[in-house]
């Protein structure tokens, strides 16, 4: 039997507190109309004080394990840009709380592309014979790093977590990951960053001031990069696995802005209706974005067993990644 990585379960969660666009209009120079028309976002969910990324990851992980009908895995890979602490990684804590004692567990830091990077890493360990079953989680408490006074970022992001179980199986099984395209361009790292708190800043001798600890993004420049990179990466992937663009039933792109999803669809020549849109409900949830969108699409019947699915993500780094699979018969947990 070939050693493909096959998706056998999926789970997702968002914290209960909903924040509508009007909440920002009350305190920033913005409006529900601007946010809806420029981004497509209507609301997002945010953690309450005391709740962190691991709490969301544990819940999504439990749901994915339930969906796969499993209670053990060989590895946990957690994609996040908002770990509970600068160190240690958050994945070991998540694994312990899931009852997965002593399994290897580590974080992947590729910001919004993190889930696809984590998926590729996990699939690689299955292909290499290191593991047979892996829990891959994308989780973010992104609201915790947003500058509440910056209307250019505060309105865009939300919190949540999504997870999948990958298991060793045949390459022709529904759910088998059929290929990846990954890339990065660090020359544009300053477009999306937290300037303080890392060794670049701390080598000066002190922890960061509050004004250097917030997330920053140059939105307009990122918009253009996001559309171009996701389109190029998706095209490359489809060529590698020999899928004509028109054969793709669902495009699950990083949920940052509905205008970016439309731009990518137009650039690759796919009807816009095939792009799954979930950001209206949850905003940009960074590494959780793709698994949340997959789970939502599967739960609402937009994604059906047998559908050809192309996913593509883009974000800070800059880093981007795409993956493809035929959707399996799974019920989100
Ligand atoms: O997760 C990583 C990937 N992230 C992304 O892909 C995000 C990509 N960027 C975007 O989605 C968009 O660039 C934004 C939604 C961030 C901004 O939309 P835009 O259409 O690119 O607007 P802009 O930055 O070109 O700004 C247009 C105007 C500016 O005012 P002036 O200079 O024309 O007077 C901004 O100051 O809109 C203003 N503006 C706002 N107005 C009301 C920016 N943010 C807001 C706001 N409310 N929240």
């Amino acid at each position: 039997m070939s050693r493909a990585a096959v998706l056998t379960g999926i789970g997702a969660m968002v914290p209960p507190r909903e924040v509508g666009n009007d909440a920002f209009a009350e305190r920033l120079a913005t409006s529900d109309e601007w946010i809806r028309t420029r981004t497509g976002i209507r609301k997002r969910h945010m953690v309450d004080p005391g709740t962190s990324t691991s709490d969301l990851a544990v819940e999504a992980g439990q749901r994915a394990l339930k969906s796969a009908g499993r209670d053990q895995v060989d590895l946990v890979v957690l994609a996040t840009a908002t770990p509970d602490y600068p160190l240690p990684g958050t994945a070991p804590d998540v694994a312990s709380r899931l009852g997965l004692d002593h399994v290897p567990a580590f974080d992947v830091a590729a910001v919004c592309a993190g889930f696809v990077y984590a998926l590729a890493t996990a699939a690689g360990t299955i292909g290499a014979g290191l593991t047979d079953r892996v829990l891959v989680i994308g989780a973010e408490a992104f609201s915790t790093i947003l500058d509440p006074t910056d209307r250019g970022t505060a309105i865009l992001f939300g919190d949540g977590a999504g997870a999948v179980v990958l298991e060793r199986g045949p390459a022709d099984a529904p759910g088998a990951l059929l290929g990846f395209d990954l890339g990065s361009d660090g020359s544009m790292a300053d477009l999306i960053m937290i300037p303080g708190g890392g060794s670049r800043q701390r080598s000066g001798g002190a922890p960061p001031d509050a004004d250097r600890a917030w997330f920053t993004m140059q939105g307009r420049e990122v918009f253009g990069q996001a559309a171009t990179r996701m389109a190029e990466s998706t095209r490359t992937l489809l060529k590698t696995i020999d899928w004509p663009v028109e054969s793709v039933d669902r495009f699950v792109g990083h949920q940052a802005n509905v205008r970016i999803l439309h731009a990518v669809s137009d650039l690759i020549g796919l009807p816009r209706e095939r792009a799954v849109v979930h950001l209206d409900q949850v905003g940009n949830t960074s590494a959780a974005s793709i698994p949340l969108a997959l789970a939502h699409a599967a739960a609402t019947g937009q994604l059906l067993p047998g559908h050809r699915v192309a996913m593509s993500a883009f974000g800070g780094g800059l880093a981007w990644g795409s993956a493809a699979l035929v959707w399996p018969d799974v019920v989100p947990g």
Side-chain angles (χ1 to χ4, degrees):
M1 182 163 79
S2 63
R3 296 191 65 95
V6 181
L7 190 156
T8 58
I10 185 163
M13 70 82 67
V14 287
R17 183 162 65 94
E18 269 187 30
V19 179
N21 292 343
D22 286 336
F24 298 97
E26 284 162 16
R27 60 181 175 81
L28 294 172
T30 189
S31 65
D32 171 52
E33 208 249 333
W34 192 96
I35 299 170
R36 266 191 297 106
T37 53
R38 302 310 293 168
T39 72
I41 298 166
R42 291 174 180 276
K43 63 184 174 87
R44 72 289 291 140
H45 292 249
M46 291 187 180
V47 292
D48 286 318
T51 301
S52 67
T53 293
S54 65
D55 302 323
L56 311 184
V58 167
E59 179 79 35
Q62 265 163 358
R63 293 181 187 189
L65 289 167
K66 183 171 164 237
S67 164
R70 302 293 189 187
D71 56 16
Q72 276 304 320
V73 295
D74 308 322
L75 170 68
V76 175
V77 186
L78 170 67
T80 187
T82 51
D84 283 13
Y85 309 101
L87 70 85
T90 301
D93 178 41
V94 171
S96 288
R97 287 161 59 191
L98 285 168
L100 305 167
D101 281 338
H102 304 157
V103 299
F106 62 92
D107 294 3
V108 166
V111 200
C112 297
F115 183 76
V116 178
Y117 269 69
L119 217 49
T121 306
T125 67
I126 290 174
L130 291 171
T131 62
D132 285 335
R133 194 178 298 146
V134 187
L135 178 63
V136 183
I137 309 173
E140 302 282 15
F142 215 90
S143 63
T144 62
I145 59 171
L146 296 173
D147 177 352
T149 65
D150 178 11
R151 69 176 180 177
T153 54
I155 58 146
L156 296 174
F157 293 86
D159 303 335
V164 300
V165 174
L166 299 182
E167 301 193 41
R168 176 169 59 90
D172 59 359
L177 287 160
L178 301 174
F180 291 93
D181 177 73
L182 305 175
S184 77
D185 183 353
S187 72
M188 284 185 267
D190 59 339
L191 292 186
I192 301 174
M193 69 158 44
I194 297 177
S199 59
R200 174 76 68 199
Q201 178 265 317
R202 292 192 64 145
S203 58
D209 298 330
D211 63 350
R212 300 182 75 191
W214 297 122
F215 173 84
T216 63
M217 180 170 73
Q218 297 175 41
R220 197 177 310 183
E221 291 76 6
V222 170
F223 188 108
Q225 287 292 323
T228 313
R229 299 300 185 184
M230 283 201 278
E232 275 172 6
S233 177
T234 305
R235 258 200 230 106
T236 304
L237 170 69
L238 296 180
K239 210 165 161 199
T240 309
I241 62 171
D242 212 12
W243 278 9
V245 170
E246 60 277 11
S247 76
V248 172
D249 296 298
R250 292 292 175 267
F251 174 67
V252 182
H254 175 53
Q255 304 283 307
N257 188 318
V258 74
R259 293 188 294 131
I260 296 177
L261 296 175
H262 289 164
V264 175
S265 304
D266 295 351
L267 283 167
I268 64 175
L270 196 70
R272 289 180 175 187
E273 314 77 73
R274 296 198 200 165
V276 167
V277 178
H278 184 41
L279 58 87
D280 56 328
Q281 307 289 316
V282 296
N284 182 344
T285 56
S286 183
S289 173
I290 298 252
L292 275 176
L294 287 171
H296 168 76
T300 54
Q302 294 175 67
L303 196 49
L304 299 171
H307 270 161
R308 283 186 168 194
V309 182
M311 322 168 215
S312 191
F314 169 90
L318 304 176
W320 55 89
S322 304
L325 80 170
V326 174
W327 193 249
D329 193 3
V330 290
V331 178

